[in-house]
Amino acid sequence: MLIAQTAVVDETAWSVLPGRTCLELVMDDLRSDRPLTSFHWGTYEVETCDGRVIALHPFSEDPDPSPIGTGIVDVLDGPTRIHQPMVRKGWLESGPGSSDKRGLEPFVAVSWEEAERIVAAELTRVKSRFGNQAIYAGSYGWASAGRFHHAQSQIHRFLNCIGGYTRSKNTYSFAAGEVIVPHVLGGFREFVYPGTSWRAVVANTRLVVAFGGVPLKNGQIAQGGVGRHRQRDAMREAIKAGVEFISISPLRSDIVDGAAAEWLAARPSTDTAILLGLAHTLIAEDLHDRDFLQRYTVGFDRFAAYLDGSADGVAKTADWAAAISGLDADRLRHLARQMADVRTMLSVSWSLTRQDHGEQPFWAAITLAAMLGQIGLPGGGIGFGYSAVNSVGNDYTVGPWLALPQGENPVSDYIPVARVSDMLLHPGTEFDYNGDRCTYPEIKIVYWAGGNPFHHHQDLGRMVRAWSRPDTVIAHEWCWNALAKHADIVLPCTTPLEREDIALTPRDGFIVYMEKAAEPAGQARSDYEILSGIAQRMGVGEMFSEGRNEPEWIRYLYDRSRQRAAEVDIDMPTLAELRASRWIEIDPPEEPDVLFRDFRANPDAHPLNTPSGKIEIWSETIAGFGYSDCPPHAAWLEPAEWLGNAGKYPLHLISNQPKDKLHGQLDHGAVSRAGKVAGRQPVTIHRQDAAVRGIAEGQVVRVFNDRGTCYCGVRLSDAIRPGVIQIATGAWFDVDTSVEPMTCKHGNPNVLTMDKGGSRLAQGPIAHSCLVDIARADNPPPVSAFEPPRIVRKDAL
């Protein structure tokens, strides 16, 4: 273990507030012991003046710091900040009930005392009249880094103290993967993080075939905090070592600029067909590893019958795959030979799961990797999303850190995470999920802390209709984003810069003491303080707090983690020592991680957690479910929308992750706003698609389908497949209430995407299966995304 000493860093700040009279004085007295803070996108030194945060500086140990974090400086106490508790005017006047006025009405500022009383009374009403299952608190979202101030843990702990809540399962990131991979490999997250390390790839791999690419912009982030960004340097090291990269994606930008990479610009949503065509070539040319398949897998013969057409009359040849994907059949055959000839790492992006039938690309990729016989070899096999986040492929020791205990949830009701609109619109309706037959509960309260469903959910027009159904929507928020504007009760919370915490994540080797750098804006409180007040009014204050205040909880979590670490020979300083040194780094493993190394060495001693103990190319469990949209082996199933069935809407929309923010976080900050075109989210379109529509660089355009419309600023490019457009997610939802269907003035692509489960197995989101068209917008409506709602005085009611 390395305990940090105070280090001298680059004194160039990335973001400084203008007009400060004390700037020169501060610059003359720059210190290397400035407070540290940590976000999901990195660790920074915080510069303050007169109690205000004026700049963030790169962390001394980070060779590739992300600029995203600096976007908080100008908005920390700007016009969008929520300074005191707020209640929607109509709710305050008429009380709880379904309402289509959410997002439209002004708010009334109230005291914390009144806000606590209102929330406690409403929770009590719903509990007593409808039961705790009528409270939905999936609270999905990334929230903030920090071990204690984790919003989901806080809200779930509180609600468990009062009897529980309806929860959600899985994530928008890779729900289909979370469900299918355990059936095939016996687990999921333990195979994603860290996976086979970049060290093993650099030393052993000769070919990386990356479905969905290796997008470095995504590698800026990692759950719980980032000490050192690794992905860019790892790619450079691999290229220098002679590793060849092939990126299969409609976007050239999904691989690092300057990489020795070949770009195969496939049609979106055709990854499974390509994988099957490669697998067929391996069999046809006798390139598959029969011994590996015999010893380590089950069900290959039944899958082979599907591949060669014996089962359904359609051989899944390279020519068949080429017709679907738009790639060259001879190139696919050659690629299969390349993969069989050298040590190959097959990487599958998380984005592949966010399409119709999103289980199939991961299952097909695992099957192909098994056929190559390199699973468990250093630098070979499969990786789940290199550079999806910084932690994939990174070298770090997984620490046994203690999280905030959430207690037990006595409510058994749940939904797949992306089925929230279905639940709100159709209570009492049955749904399938992973072999279960469940019923949507009737929800009276939605309680959200640490996320923004108006960023990550699909078909926002449908969601707005669903959002009108509950009696009450409660949100913890620090700024006036769409969630806050569409809530009934808004409780203003602090940011990481306004509280103390510890960045202590099992997915990064750094432990950072996060000092409080500024006082909370206005009357903002931490989630813990907010919930403690409500808990006290509901008679569970002692149960929620266990008699600890915030510093005592932080000490408790750290000390218990330190005890656990000592049991596995990880040496950690005391909390006082950590605070003095500001950060430490836990030594990485001596040997690079190799996924499935032990299983390959001895499958009997180290079986997988599947029914057979082996890789399940055919799953008897899934066969028993009888789902027509998820057969018991990897298969090509035509998506609901793709270029192969395009008609009225001829363009395929890719709504991928942004490079200048994390989802919608800090979209209102300077970094994100600098990347907008005409004040709106950019849309990238191929030059020939733009030319036939008379569209020019920098123009504002309408992107539309039957579900909705969004206005974007144009970027022309040759680095996107013709017939495809790209709009990154994250633009704050900005409704034009004067028109139908649902229209976002600011460029949120989720007004266009389809809200349908990818299959009955996982019910995952399918944002990437989406057809649209695009046209010039001669008179676009003005953007109002960053304008707060109207606030009225209570005495004026």
Side-chain angles (χ1 to χ4, degrees):
M1 180 200 69
L2 171 66
I3 297 183
Q5 303 297 319
T6 300
V8 178
V9 300
D10 179 3
E11 300 297 356
T12 302
W14 292 343
S15 185
V16 179
L17 287 177
R20 295 188 302 107
T21 58
C22 57
L23 178 58
E24 292 183 357
L25 175 62
V26 172
M27 295 301 288
D28 288 340
D29 189 32
L30 282 169
R31 301 173 301 155
S32 58
D33 61 345
R34 287 183 292 238
L36 288 180
T37 195
S38 195
F39 302 97
H40 297 305
W41 42 82
T43 298
Y44 304 86
E45 294 196 352
V46 185
E47 184 180 348
T48 62
C49 177
D50 293 338
R52 299 179 66 205
V53 174
I54 60 170
L56 297 183
H57 299 261
F59 178 45
S60 59
E61 303 302 304
D62 192 350
D64 186 25
S66 169
I68 291 175
T70 63
I72 197 172
V73 175
D74 63 316
V75 294
L76 188 61
D77 195 16
T80 56
R81 190 66 192 264
I82 305 170
H83 288 96
Q84 64 186 108
M86 299 284 175
V87 182
R88 183 172 59 83
K89 180 176 179 288
W91 195 98
L92 192 64
E93 292 175 334
S94 304
S98 299
S99 176
D100 59 3
K101 299 298 183 182
R102 293 186 180 115
L104 302 175
E105 288 191 327
F107 283 82
V108 180
V110 300
S111 67
W112 271 111
E113 180 180 7
E114 183 172 5
E116 290 175 356
R117 178 184 58 76
I118 289 173
V119 173
E122 177 62 356
L123 288 169
T124 300
R125 180 188 74 87
V126 169
K127 274 169 42 69
S128 61
R129 290 186 57 185
F130 305 101
N132 280 71
Q133 78 282 351
I135 303 169
Y136 177 66
S139 278
Y140 178 83
W142 277 60
S144 302
R147 201 63 175 169
F148 175 63
H149 292 290
H150 180 251
Q152 276 191 28
S153 297
Q154 295 282 351
I155 187 63
H156 291 167
R157 177 182 174 85
F158 163 71
L159 290 173
N160 286 337
C161 288
I162 66 168
Y165 59 97
T166 292
R167 68 196 191 280
S168 63
K169 287 189 174 184
N170 307 130
T171 68
Y172 282 82
S173 296
F174 42 40
E178 288 175 279
V179 178
I180 189 62
V181 176
H183 288 290
V184 184
L185 297 177
F188 181 62
R189 288 178 185 264
E190 63 268 41
F191 304 143
V192 176
Y193 310 109
T196 295
S197 74
W198 276 110
R199 270 198 294 166
V201 170
V202 171
N204 300 280
T205 306
R206 299 276 57 85
L207 175 65
V208 173
V209 180
F211 283 80
V214 185
L216 291 183
K217 62 180 177 58
N218 296 5
Q220 296 178 88
I221 64 171
Q223 304 94 320
V226 176
R228 178 183 298 121
H229 286 89
R230 170 68 175 143
Q231 300 296 318
R232 189 182 305 275
D233 281 354
M235 284 281 290
R236 288 170 175 164
E237 292 166 14
I239 293 165
K240 185 177 180 181
V243 179
E244 181 183 356
F245 286 83
I246 297 175
S247 176
I248 301 176
S249 167
L251 307 175
R252 182 185 293 162
S253 60
D254 276 341
I255 201 75
V256 64
D257 291 339
E262 180 182 359
W263 176 38
L264 299 182
R267 287 175 176 166
S269 297
T270 64
D271 311 274
T272 301
I274 297 168
L275 288 158
L276 295 175
L278 295 170
H280 185 280
T281 300
L282 293 182
I283 293 179
E285 301 188 8
D286 197 22
L287 298 174
H288 58 304
D289 191 325
R290 298 174 184 271
D291 291 339
F292 185 92
L293 292 167
Q294 177 66 34
R295 187 177 185 196
Y296 297 98
T297 76
V298 294
F300 176 72
D301 289 345
R302 298 167 102 170
F303 171 72
Y306 168 76
L307 268 189
D308 67 19
S310 301
D312 63 358
V314 179
K316 315 307 181 295
T317 65
D319 293 281
W320 169 87
I324 292 171
S325 66
L327 299 181
D328 180 74
D330 287 337
R331 181 65 191 95
L332 292 180
R333 280 185 281 267
H334 179 63
L335 177 57
R337 297 172 195 134
Q338 286 179 278
M339 297 171 74
D341 190 48
V342 299
R343 185 66 55 86
T344 298
M345 174 59 71
L346 182 58
S347 176
V348 283
S349 166
W350 296 359
S351 62
L352 304 187
T353 68
R354 299 193 297 273
Q355 57 183 302
D356 205 10
H357 313 297
E359 299 89 353
Q360 302 309 315
F362 272 28
W363 201 349
I366 295 166
T367 301
L368 181 63
M371 293 174 67
L372 291 168
Q374 298 184 29
I375 291 175
L377 295 177
I382 190 164
F384 297 100
Y386 284 97
S387 201
V389 290
N390 186 63
S391 46
V392 176
N394 207 348
D395 281 303
Y396 55 87
T397 297
V398 178
W401 316 136
L402 179 68
L404 179 70
Q406 297 183 20
E408 295 297 323
N409 184 359
V411 174
S412 60
D413 295 74
Y414 71 88
I415 63 167
V417 68
R419 302 275 56 82
V420 60
S421 291
D422 286 351
M423 174 186 67
L424 296 177
L425 289 169
H426 304 296
T429 302
E430 291 186 332
F431 66 93
D432 290 301
Y433 170 79
N434 200 18
D436 290 340
R437 186 77 170 166
C438 306
T439 302
Y440 290 124
E442 184 172 7
I443 299 300
K444 297 296 183 180
I445 291 178
V446 172
Y447 201 145
W448 217 285
N452 180 2
F454 291 91
H455 156 71
H456 55 248
H457 197 69
Q458 282 67 58
D459 194 348
L460 289 177
R462 184 171 187 259
M463 183 171 182
V464 167
R465 294 191 296 274
W467 208 249
S468 71
R469 298 298 181 89
D471 288 355
T472 302
V473 176
I474 306 168
H476 294 196
E477 261 302 343
W478 71 282
C479 53
W480 284 112
N481 60 18
L483 171 64
K485 292 177 180 178
H486 286 81
D488 297 313
I489 302 167
V490 183
L491 305 177
C493 58
T494 53
T495 71
L497 292 166
E498 298 162 330
R499 60 197 184 214
E500 294 202 7
D501 209 337
I502 299 172
L504 184 68
T505 169
R507 296 175 186 156
D508 194 84
F510 284 80
I511 300 173
V512 178
Y513 194 92
M514 299 164 60
E515 292 188 52
K516 181 179 179 180
E519 291 300 316
Q523 299 176 27
R525 295 179 175 180
S526 70
D527 295 299
Y528 180 74
E529 188 178 4
I530 293 170
L531 295 169
S532 292
I534 301 168
Q536 193 67 36
R537 288 182 177 271
M538 298 186 72
V540 294
E542 182 65 25
M543 182 187 300
F544 176 71
S545 71
E546 296 186 18
R548 298 186 184 96
N549 59 25
E550 292 185 19
E552 289 167 341
W553 266 113
I554 291 170
R555 176 174 291 280
Y556 171 78
L557 295 177
Y558 183 81
D559 287 348
R560 288 290 302 274
S561 297
R562 185 168 177 253
Q563 292 170 12
R564 290 181 171 189
E567 295 171 1
V568 292
D569 298 323
I570 297 176
D571 183 28
M572 292 173 61
T574 66
L575 185 60
E577 290 169 338
L578 175 65
R579 183 168 188 171
S581 65
R582 304 190 303 152
W583 61 271
I584 63 171
E585 183 182 8
I586 305 297
D587 284 338
E590 291 186 9
E591 295 294 322
D593 289 300
V594 175
L595 192 58
F596 302 114
R597 174 166 37 199
D598 292 341
F599 170 65
R600 184 184 185 98
N602 192 332
D604 297 321
H606 302 283
L608 301 180
N609 190 30
T610 58
S612 64
K614 298 181 178 182
I615 299 169
E616 303 224 340
I617 292 175
W618 172 287
S619 170
E620 292 288 356
T621 300
I622 293 178
F625 296 160
Y627 296 155
S628 60
D629 56 6
C630 189
H633 57 78
W636 162 252
L637 301 169
E638 185 175 0
E641 293 184 12
W642 69 298
L643 290 174
N645 62 14
K648 181 179 179 182
Y649 299 107
L651 300 174
H652 195 123
L653 169 65
I654 296 296
S655 51
N656 59 353
Q657 300 298 338
K659 67 179 182 180
D660 49 16
K661 49 187 170 280
L662 168 56
H663 302 323
Q665 291 191 42
L666 299 183
D667 185 44
H668 58 323
V671 174
S672 178
R673 293 177 80 153
K676 296 186 184 294
V677 175
R680 303 166 205 266
Q681 189 68 28
V683 55
T684 300
I685 183 171
H686 195 278
R687 295 179 189 278
Q688 71 183 45
D689 291 323
V692 298
R693 292 167 172 81
I695 292 171
E697 177 80 20
Q699 285 184 333
V700 176
V701 292
R702 285 190 312 118
V703 185
F704 58 95
N705 58 22
D706 290 340
R707 289 180 289 271
T709 296
C710 67
Y711 288 87
C712 298
V714 171
R715 285 181 178 159
L716 302 181
S717 177
D718 295 321
I720 187 170
R721 180 186 170 91
V724 178
I725 66 169
Q726 176 266 330
I727 307 172
T729 58
W732 279 13
F733 184 43
D734 189 18
V735 180
D736 184 347
T737 58
S738 66
V739 296
E740 291 286 347
M742 179 58 65
T743 296
C744 178
K745 301 179 288 184
H746 190 213
N748 188 319
N750 273 327
V751 299
L752 306 164
T753 53
M754 190 188 315
D755 185 16
K756 181 186 88 71
S759 80
R760 292 160 67 192
L761 183 79
Q763 296 283 3
I766 64 166
H768 291 316
S769 295
C770 180
L771 294 175
V772 300
D773 205 348
I774 188 169
R776 289 185 301 177
D778 296 327
N779 295 293
V783 175
S784 56
F786 305 134
E787 296 176 8
R790 188 164 64 91
I791 310 298
V792 298
R793 298 198 324 267
K794 190 174 182 183
D795 58 11
L797 296 181

